[in-house]
Amino acid sequence: MLVLGALLTVAGCGKPQPRTFTVTIADMAFGPAPADARVGDHIRFVNADMFEHTATARDGAFDLDLAPKASGEAVLSRAGQLAFYCRFHPGMTGVIAVSP
Ligand SMILES: [Cu+2]
């Protein structure tokens, strides 16, 4: 019992586990960005559209080429406002607020 208690304490003190959020692309637009993303979390971009799109970070952090019905994943590596867009359709934009 003492050992179990110690293990639980250690696990509870660790960094939060990275989570994976999904941003769906449909009808030539990025869906809503997650509201509480943190550094280390993953963003899964799912292209549900019938056109090819990209999910491209303006700061160069990632550049995912997404064929129709394909998906790709990016890791949020630093805090701040992460702006992204589609290289083929510059009107397609989004922003994720990333907490430290
Ligand atoms: Cu596009």
PDB file of all heavy atoms in Angstrom, residues 16-17 48-49 62 68:
ATOM      1  N   PRO A  16       2.260  17.282 -17.505  1.00  0.00           N
ATOM      2  CA  PRO A  16       1.017  16.776 -18.086  1.00  0.00           C
ATOM      3  C   PRO A  16       1.299  15.953 -19.341  1.00  0.00           C
ATOM      4  O   PRO A  16       2.207  16.272 -20.097  1.00  0.00           O
ATOM      5  CB  PRO A  16       0.240  18.047 -18.433  1.00  0.00           C
ATOM      6  CG  PRO A  16       1.189  19.173 -18.308  1.00  0.00           C
ATOM      7  CD  PRO A  16       2.332  18.724 -17.457  1.00  0.00           C
ATOM      8  N   GLN A  17       0.553  14.899 -19.516  1.00  0.00           N
ATOM      9  CA  GLN A  17       0.719  14.048 -20.695  1.00  0.00           C
ATOM     10  C   GLN A  17       0.340  14.834 -21.947  1.00  0.00           C
ATOM     11  O   GLN A  17      -0.650  15.550 -21.937  1.00  0.00           O
ATOM     12  CB  GLN A  17      -0.193  12.824 -20.589  1.00  0.00           C
ATOM     13  CG  GLN A  17       0.281  11.789 -19.606  1.00  0.00           C
ATOM     14  CD  GLN A  17       1.538  11.100 -20.088  1.00  0.00           C
ATOM     15  OE1 GLN A  17       2.621  11.327 -19.570  1.00  0.00           O
ATOM     16  NE2 GLN A  17       1.417  10.279 -21.109  1.00  0.00           N
ATOM     17  N   ALA A  48     -10.842  16.467 -44.668  1.00  0.00           N
ATOM     18  CA  ALA A  48     -12.103  15.811 -45.023  1.00  0.00           C
ATOM     19  C   ALA A  48     -12.659  16.369 -46.331  1.00  0.00           C
ATOM     20  O   ALA A  48     -13.791  16.057 -46.711  1.00  0.00           O
ATOM     21  CB  ALA A  48     -13.111  16.000 -43.890  1.00  0.00           C
ATOM     22  N   ASP A  49     -11.870  17.215 -46.979  1.00  0.00           N
ATOM     23  CA  ASP A  49     -12.320  17.871 -48.201  1.00  0.00           C
ATOM     24  C   ASP A  49     -12.021  16.993 -49.418  1.00  0.00           C
ATOM     25  O   ASP A  49     -11.302  15.998 -49.332  1.00  0.00           O
ATOM     26  CB  ASP A  49     -11.595  19.213 -48.344  1.00  0.00           C
ATOM     27  CG  ASP A  49     -12.553  20.342 -48.709  1.00  0.00           C
ATOM     28  OD1 ASP A  49     -13.650  20.043 -49.215  1.00  0.00           O
ATOM     29  OD2 ASP A  49     -12.185  21.501 -48.489  1.00  0.00           O
ATOM     30  N   PHE A  62       5.935  23.656 -39.141  1.00  0.00           N
ATOM     31  CA  PHE A  62       5.488  22.439 -39.834  1.00  0.00           C
ATOM     32  C   PHE A  62       4.890  22.818 -41.176  1.00  0.00           C
ATOM     33  O   PHE A  62       4.506  23.971 -41.403  1.00  0.00           O
ATOM     34  CB  PHE A  62       4.488  21.629 -38.993  1.00  0.00           C
ATOM     35  CG  PHE A  62       3.271  22.406 -38.567  1.00  0.00           C
ATOM     36  CD1 PHE A  62       2.193  22.578 -39.425  1.00  0.00           C
ATOM     37  CD2 PHE A  62       3.205  22.952 -37.290  1.00  0.00           C
ATOM     38  CE1 PHE A  62       1.069  23.285 -39.028  1.00  0.00           C
ATOM     39  CE2 PHE A  62       2.076  23.671 -36.883  1.00  0.00           C
ATOM     40  CZ  PHE A  62       1.015  23.837 -37.757  1.00  0.00           C
ATOM     41  N   PRO A  68      -6.626  14.668 -50.475  1.00  0.00           N
ATOM     42  CA  PRO A  68      -8.009  14.489 -50.019  1.00  0.00           C
ATOM     43  C   PRO A  68      -8.135  13.251 -49.133  1.00  0.00           C
ATOM     44  O   PRO A  68      -7.580  12.202 -49.452  1.00  0.00           O
ATOM     45  CB  PRO A  68      -8.783  14.312 -51.328  1.00  0.00           C
ATOM     46  CG  PRO A  68      -7.961  15.023 -52.352  1.00  0.00           C
ATOM     47  CD  PRO A  68      -6.534  14.845 -51.921  1.00  0.00           C
TER      48      PRO A  68
END
